[in-house]
Amino acid sequence: MSDEISSEFDRDTAVRRVAPGEYAADLAKGWAFGDVLNGGYLLAVVGRALADALPHPDPFTVSAHYLAATGAGPAVVRTDVARAGFSLSTGSASLFQRDEDGTEVERIRVLATYGELDRLRDDVRTSARPPDMPPYEECVSTDENPDPSFSPELVHRLALRLDPTSVGWAVGSPSGKGEMRAWFALADGRDPDPLSLLLTVDALPPTAFDLGLKGWVPTVELTAHVRCRPAPGPLRVALTTRNMAGGYLEEDAEVWDSADRLVAQSRQLARVLE
Amino acid sequence: MSDEISSEFDRDTAVRRVAPGEYAADLAKGWAFGDVLNGGYLLAVVGRALADALPHPDPFTVSAHYLAATGAGPAVVRTDVARAGFSLSTGSASLFQRDEDGTEVERIRVLATYGELDRLRDDVRTSARPPDMPPYEECVSTDENPDPSFSPELVHRLALRLDPTSVGWAVGSPSGKGEMRAWFALADGRDPDPLSLLLTVDALPPTAFDLGLKGWVPTVELTAHVRCRPAPGPLRVALTTRNMAGGYLEEDAEVWDSADRLVAQSRQLARVLE
C-alpha cells in the first residue's frame, strides 16, 4: 500500500482497495512454477488485503484452502470481518479471477486471525531447536541446479540455499526421509517481515521430492502461525513429512530467524498426484 | 441426522436443517468445562452440518477460529459452499448464538475441505510411530483425579486414561516438557469415526498443564486433518508443545487407532491467559 515500493515482493503482492473490504491485485508471473502461481505468494497477497481490512496488522494464524490453480493476471480479494477484538481480530477472504468467458471463479478461500506482534510479551520458553544445517555459504544455491531445464520463474525471486542433504532428489537420489532444509531470502535483498513469512512457509521444493515423488503435489490447505517478528537476515526453513497415506501427505514447516527464534510454523495437507 | 440415536455424542452433536445450508443445534451442557463448551465438541457439531451441506461425507481438513466462548443452548450453523469438486469440496460455516438481549453473535468460524475416506488408496508410507505409552489398563483414569473439586462435565462424557508420565500436573509436579498422552474413548462406548475425531483432537487436558501453567488456555485456531477412518476401539492421543512465546503456544495432536494407523493430526494456536 506504500507509494515507494522498492522490493519486487512488495510490488508484486500489492493490493488496491476498490470498495469497502474489496481489493484489486495484479498477480505477477514471476512467482510461478510453470503456469501456476506459488501458494505462499498468493497467501501473502491475500494476507496483505486482510492486514488492511482488519484492525490489527500482523497475521497470527492464517488458514488457506486452495480451490483451483491460480495464474498470473488480475484478481480480486473480497474480505469479511468476523470479529474485531482488542487483542485479536478474525476475518475471511476469497481470491477470485475471471475465466476465459468472464465468469468469476473463486481460487482460494482464507480464514485468518490477526494481532499485533510488537505488543506481545517477550517471554520465550521453547523446546524447539533450530535445524541442524550447514552455514549459508556451504549450502547449495538453486541456481546450481544440475538440470538446466529446471528453471521456474519462482527460483529467480528467491535466494534459496539448500542443505546438501536435501538435494539428492535433484540428482536422482532422494533420501526417502521426507525432509527439506534450506536458507531462505528474497533475491532482491528485502528483509523478512510477518507478511513475507507467508511466502516463506511454502517456497521450498516439496518434501515429496525427498520422498522420491516426481509429480505435482498441490496444496489442499495450508495453515501458518506467525509467532514473532523476524530479525533481518536469511531465514532457515525446515520441512518434514511424517505421514504419506491414501494419496495425501502433510508437510510441516518451521522458520527460524537470524536471532535463532522460531518465527513461524506451518502445516499443509497436500495431494499426491500420479 | 439419524432417527435412532443411541450415543450421547451423536445425540448432542445432532443438527437439523432448517433452511438451505442452515442448521439448528441444541448445544449440550454435558460437554462443558465450567460454563464453556469444549472446542472439539463444537467442531464436531459444525462438522456435522458441513457433512450435510457439502457433497462429500468426511472432514479431510477443518480449520476453526474461535471468536468467543460458547455455552450450552440453542445455536445456528450457517454454511456456504465454496467449491464442489469430484474428489474434494470446500465450504465455510459459522456458529451463532443469541446473547442476553437477543442479538445474534458469531462464536466460531470454520473453513473446511471434505472428501471420501473410503475412496482413498490404501498405501501408507509413514515415518511417524505410535506414541510410546503403557497399555490402557496401566494408564490413569480421569475419574481417579486426586482433586475431587476437579470434575468438569466433560470428564463424564469421555473415557480418558492418561499416561502416568502425563499426570504430574494433577499432583503439583508437571514435567515441564509440554507433553500429554492418553487413551481416548467415548464414555458411552460409541466407536470412533471421522466426525468424532474432531472432538478427540481437543479433548485431553492441555499441554499447558504439563508446562506448569494453571490458567485457561483458550484456543485461537485449531486445524485438524483426518487421514483415515479409525478402526473400532480406544484411540491413543499424543499432544506436544514445542514453542511457548509471547503469550501464545501451539499444541500438536496425533491420534492413532487400534490398528496402529495415524488417523488424525491437528495443530492449534492457543493463548496463555494469566
Side-chain angles (χ1 to χ4, degrees), chain A residues 121, chain B residues 213-218 247-248 270-274:
Chain A
R121 310 193 304 256
Chain B
L213 303 171
K214 290 182 175 159
W216 194 36
V217 189
Y248 289 82
R271 201 166 165 195
V272 179
L273 298 182
E274 286 179 316

mmCIF file of all heavy atoms in Angstrom, chain A residues 121, chain B residues 213-218 247-248 270-274:
data_model
loop_
_atom_site.group_PDB
_atom_site.id
_atom_site.type_symbol
_atom_site.label_atom_id
_atom_site.label_comp_id
_atom_site.label_asym_id
_atom_site.label_seq_id
_atom_site.Cartn_x
_atom_site.Cartn_y
_atom_site.Cartn_z
ATOM 1 N N ARG A 121 4.224 -10.069 24.860
ATOM 2 C CA ARG A 121 5.275 -10.191 25.876
ATOM 3 C C ARG A 121 6.503 -10.815 25.217
ATOM 4 O O ARG A 121 6.397 -11.509 24.191
ATOM 5 C CB ARG A 121 4.808 -11.112 27.007
ATOM 6 C CG ARG A 121 3.435 -10.754 27.559
ATOM 7 C CD ARG A 121 3.158 -11.470 28.877
ATOM 8 N NE ARG A 121 3.259 -12.902 28.824
ATOM 9 C CZ ARG A 121 2.198 -13.734 28.812
ATOM 10 N NH1 ARG A 121 0.972 -13.248 28.855
ATOM 11 N NH2 ARG A 121 2.370 -15.035 28.776
ATOM 12 N N LEU B 213 1.451 -24.382 33.789
ATOM 13 C CA LEU B 213 0.512 -23.257 33.753
ATOM 14 C C LEU B 213 -0.810 -23.710 34.344
ATOM 15 O O LEU B 213 -1.220 -24.857 34.182
ATOM 16 C CB LEU B 213 0.312 -22.794 32.311
ATOM 17 C CG LEU B 213 1.599 -22.396 31.583
ATOM 18 C CD1 LEU B 213 1.312 -22.157 30.104
ATOM 19 C CD2 LEU B 213 2.204 -21.144 32.216
ATOM 20 N N LYS B 214 -1.489 -22.798 35.010
ATOM 21 C CA LYS B 214 -2.737 -23.201 35.667
ATOM 22 C C LYS B 214 -3.968 -22.522 35.105
ATOM 23 O O LYS B 214 -5.080 -22.962 35.339
ATOM 24 C CB LYS B 214 -2.625 -22.949 37.163
ATOM 25 C CG LYS B 214 -1.644 -23.947 37.768
ATOM 26 C CD LYS B 214 -1.500 -23.826 39.259
ATOM 27 C CE LYS B 214 -0.588 -24.945 39.767
ATOM 28 N NZ LYS B 214 0.002 -24.628 41.066
ATOM 29 N N GLY B 215 -3.765 -21.429 34.383
ATOM 30 C CA GLY B 215 -4.924 -20.680 33.911
ATOM 31 C C GLY B 215 -5.544 -21.304 32.665
ATOM 32 O O GLY B 215 -5.142 -22.367 32.196
ATOM 33 N N TRP B 216 -6.518 -20.602 32.136
ATOM 34 C CA TRP B 216 -7.216 -21.047 30.945
ATOM 35 C C TRP B 216 -6.322 -20.774 29.744
ATOM 36 O O TRP B 216 -5.613 -19.765 29.691
ATOM 37 C CB TRP B 216 -8.532 -20.273 30.844
ATOM 38 C CG TRP B 216 -9.507 -20.855 29.866
ATOM 39 C CD1 TRP B 216 -9.723 -22.172 29.599
ATOM 40 C CD2 TRP B 216 -10.415 -20.130 29.042
ATOM 41 N NE1 TRP B 216 -10.718 -22.303 28.652
ATOM 42 C CE2 TRP B 216 -11.156 -21.065 28.289
ATOM 43 C CE3 TRP B 216 -10.674 -18.760 28.858
ATOM 44 C CZ2 TRP B 216 -12.139 -20.690 27.373
ATOM 45 C CZ3 TRP B 216 -11.656 -18.391 27.942
ATOM 46 C CH2 TRP B 216 -12.389 -19.349 27.218
ATOM 47 N N VAL B 217 -6.330 -21.691 28.786
ATOM 48 C CA VAL B 217 -5.518 -21.550 27.579
ATOM 49 C C VAL B 217 -6.465 -21.663 26.388
ATOM 50 O O VAL B 217 -6.529 -22.689 25.722
ATOM 51 C CB VAL B 217 -4.425 -22.643 27.524
ATOM 52 C CG1 VAL B 217 -3.446 -22.368 26.387
ATOM 53 C CG2 VAL B 217 -3.669 -22.723 28.839
ATOM 54 N N PRO B 218 -7.237 -20.616 26.124
ATOM 55 C CA PRO B 218 -8.253 -20.732 25.078
ATOM 56 C C PRO B 218 -7.652 -20.889 23.685
ATOM 57 O O PRO B 218 -6.640 -20.274 23.363
ATOM 58 C CB PRO B 218 -9.037 -19.419 25.195
ATOM 59 C CG PRO B 218 -8.126 -18.464 25.886
ATOM 60 C CD PRO B 218 -7.240 -19.286 26.779
ATOM 61 N N GLY B 247 3.182 -15.245 25.008
ATOM 62 C CA GLY B 247 1.827 -15.453 25.493
ATOM 63 C C GLY B 247 0.982 -16.359 24.612
ATOM 64 O O GLY B 247 -0.235 -16.455 24.807
ATOM 65 N N TYR B 248 1.615 -17.035 23.677
ATOM 66 C CA TYR B 248 0.907 -17.990 22.818
ATOM 67 C C TYR B 248 1.686 -19.307 22.786
ATOM 68 O O TYR B 248 2.905 -19.322 22.998
ATOM 69 C CB TYR B 248 0.757 -17.455 21.389
ATOM 70 C CG TYR B 248 -0.228 -16.317 21.286
ATOM 71 C CD1 TYR B 248 0.155 -15.011 21.606
ATOM 72 C CD2 TYR B 248 -1.542 -16.549 20.902
ATOM 73 C CE1 TYR B 248 -0.760 -13.961 21.542
ATOM 74 C CE2 TYR B 248 -2.450 -15.500 20.824
ATOM 75 C CZ TYR B 248 -2.063 -14.217 21.150
ATOM 76 O OH TYR B 248 -2.970 -13.192 21.088
ATOM 77 N N ALA B 270 -2.954 -21.453 20.773
ATOM 78 C CA ALA B 270 -3.721 -21.117 21.974
ATOM 79 C C ALA B 270 -3.053 -19.955 22.688
ATOM 80 O O ALA B 270 -1.856 -19.710 22.542
ATOM 81 C CB ALA B 270 -3.837 -22.325 22.890
ATOM 82 N N ARG B 271 -3.858 -19.263 23.451
ATOM 83 C CA ARG B 271 -3.413 -18.068 24.132
ATOM 84 C C ARG B 271 -3.244 -18.383 25.608
ATOM 85 O O ARG B 271 -4.112 -19.012 26.212
ATOM 86 C CB ARG B 271 -4.511 -17.023 23.952
ATOM 87 C CG ARG B 271 -4.016 -15.639 24.148
ATOM 88 C CD ARG B 271 -5.055 -14.678 23.618
ATOM 89 N NE ARG B 271 -4.727 -13.376 24.138
ATOM 90 C CZ ARG B 271 -5.533 -12.357 24.128
ATOM 91 N NH1 ARG B 271 -6.731 -12.473 23.600
ATOM 92 N NH2 ARG B 271 -5.150 -11.210 24.627
ATOM 93 N N VAL B 272 -2.133 -17.978 26.174
ATOM 94 C CA VAL B 272 -1.860 -18.244 27.579
ATOM 95 C C VAL B 272 -2.369 -17.056 28.392
ATOM 96 O O VAL B 272 -1.774 -15.970 28.354
ATOM 97 C CB VAL B 272 -0.347 -18.431 27.804
ATOM 98 C CG1 VAL B 272 -0.055 -18.688 29.269
ATOM 99 C CG2 VAL B 272 0.190 -19.559 26.926
ATOM 100 N N LEU B 273 -3.483 -17.243 29.092
ATOM 101 C CA LEU B 273 -4.025 -16.157 29.914
ATOM 102 C C LEU B 273 -3.444 -16.270 31.320
ATOM 103 O O LEU B 273 -3.241 -17.353 31.838
ATOM 104 C CB LEU B 273 -5.551 -16.247 29.966
ATOM 105 C CG LEU B 273 -6.257 -16.103 28.626
ATOM 106 C CD1 LEU B 273 -7.757 -16.165 28.812
ATOM 107 C CD2 LEU B 273 -5.874 -14.793 27.944
ATOM 108 N N GLU B 274 -3.180 -15.149 31.927
ATOM 109 C CA GLU B 274 -2.590 -15.191 33.274
ATOM 110 C C GLU B 274 -3.366 -14.284 34.217
ATOM 111 O O GLU B 274 -4.015 -13.354 33.792
ATOM 112 C CB GLU B 274 -1.126 -14.770 33.224
ATOM 113 C CG GLU B 274 -0.271 -15.869 32.619
ATOM 114 C CD GLU B 274 1.196 -15.446 32.544
ATOM 115 O OE1 GLU B 274 1.441 -14.307 32.141
ATOM 116 O OE2 GLU B 274 2.061 -16.256 32.891
#
